Amino acid sequence: MSIAVVGSVNMDVVARVPRIPGPGETLLATGSSRGGGGKGANQVVGAARAGGADAAFIGAVGDDPDGRQLRAWLEADGIDVSGLATAAEPSGVALISVDDDAENAIVVVAGANGALTSLNDAQRGIVAAADTVAAQLEVPVELVEAAADARGDGALFVLNAAPSEPLTSPDVAERVLDKVDVLIVNEHELLDIAGVADQSEAVDLLAARVPALVVTLGAVGSIIALGPERAQVPAFPVTPVDTTGAGDTFCGVFAAHLGRGPLDLDALVAAARAGAAASAIAVTRPGAQPAVPTAAEVAALLASP
Ligand code: ADP
């Protein structure tokens, strides 16, 4: 089984603050750290640590120390980075504040993540060989479409529509959603893309647009919609310290567990349960990639009474 993730990679610069500062305010942090981030890279780390699937990452970093560090961190997880390009722009950076209630505020400087709008031959080959292709919307939407188009016969295309902004354009939404097998959104992205204010109406609208839909609801868990069928997958109760990357851990582990499907409710629920266990552990630890648990940790939580 193999998974190719096409997306963003950032250096996360995290400051622990007593509270999120307001406009014009200067606050002293109580600590700071740097770690691997970016939705694409977080998700491929989730997939790699889930075990059972060879994981490859396609994206771009800059020709700079952050880029070399980000590449090395992915390699240390056994991820194939032969499709990770070095672009003229600097590596992407995310400036993250996390407060004592695990609330966060994030500014992303995309940098090299905006550089790729198509796949080269080597990258296309990696995507074509994968059983599952996963993408997010933190890179140009043209790259996401190219990834979906390059997938092999029978491979699943899993899109985490985060951020949702590109899909609020009806033309783009129509083009992209036509290629999707499983769409994953959080509650805000759900309402944005559906263009309605009511959650269950939005689920019905999007469930009619894609073969399978997963809506993550933070500490509540997730909803799976497959045509007219619905299932709820509860979150595991934990006390979070940093929810950065919770959704990414969920998506990466979900995609790795789903593999090539089948797209039936049982398979989707099993994959979402694994994603929920992995993300519950991740939110109890600081950082994005450093917080992603191993397969053994996830299996232990899934087996606990
Ligand atoms: P995003 O980070 O994209 O906003 P969510 O906040 O919906 O995504 O979280 C994704 C998944 O992570 C949830 O479905 C849940 O399983 C898990 N999760 C998130 N926050 C918590 C929490 N406080 N406690 C337990 N699990 C959580």
Side-chain angles (χ1 to χ4, degrees), residues 8 10 12 14 35-47 49 94 96-98 102-106 108 136 138 160 162 184 186 189 216 218 240-254 275-293:
S8 58
N10 292 326
D12 281 357
V14 185
K39 291 183 190 296
N42 295 345
Q43 293 188 17
V44 78
V45 168
R49 290 192 197 158
I96 304 175
S97 301
V98 182
E103 187 61 66
N104 62 33
I106 306 179
V108 175
Q136 319 74 35
E138 227 174 25
N160 173 217
I184 308 179
N186 69 17
E189 293 148 4
T216 64
V241 301
D242 179 2
T243 60
T244 312
D248 296 335
T249 301
F250 180 97
C251 291
V253 173
F254 172 90
S279 49
I281 298 169
V283 301
T284 64
R285 302 171 176 171
Q289 288 161 35
V292 177

Side-chain angles (χ1 to χ4, degrees), residues 4-35:
V5 178
V6 179
S8 58
V9 53
N10 292 326
M11 180 61 76
D12 281 357
V13 181
V14 185
R16 302 275 337 175
V17 287
R19 58 193 166 72
I20 305 295
E25 190 180 359
T26 301
L27 268 185
L28 279 183
T30 54
S32 75
S33 62
R34 293 160 68 82

Side-chain angles (χ1 to χ4, degrees), residues 219 234-240 276 280-281 283-284 301 305:
F236 288 79
V238 293
T239 304
I281 298 169
V283 301
T284 64
L301 181 54

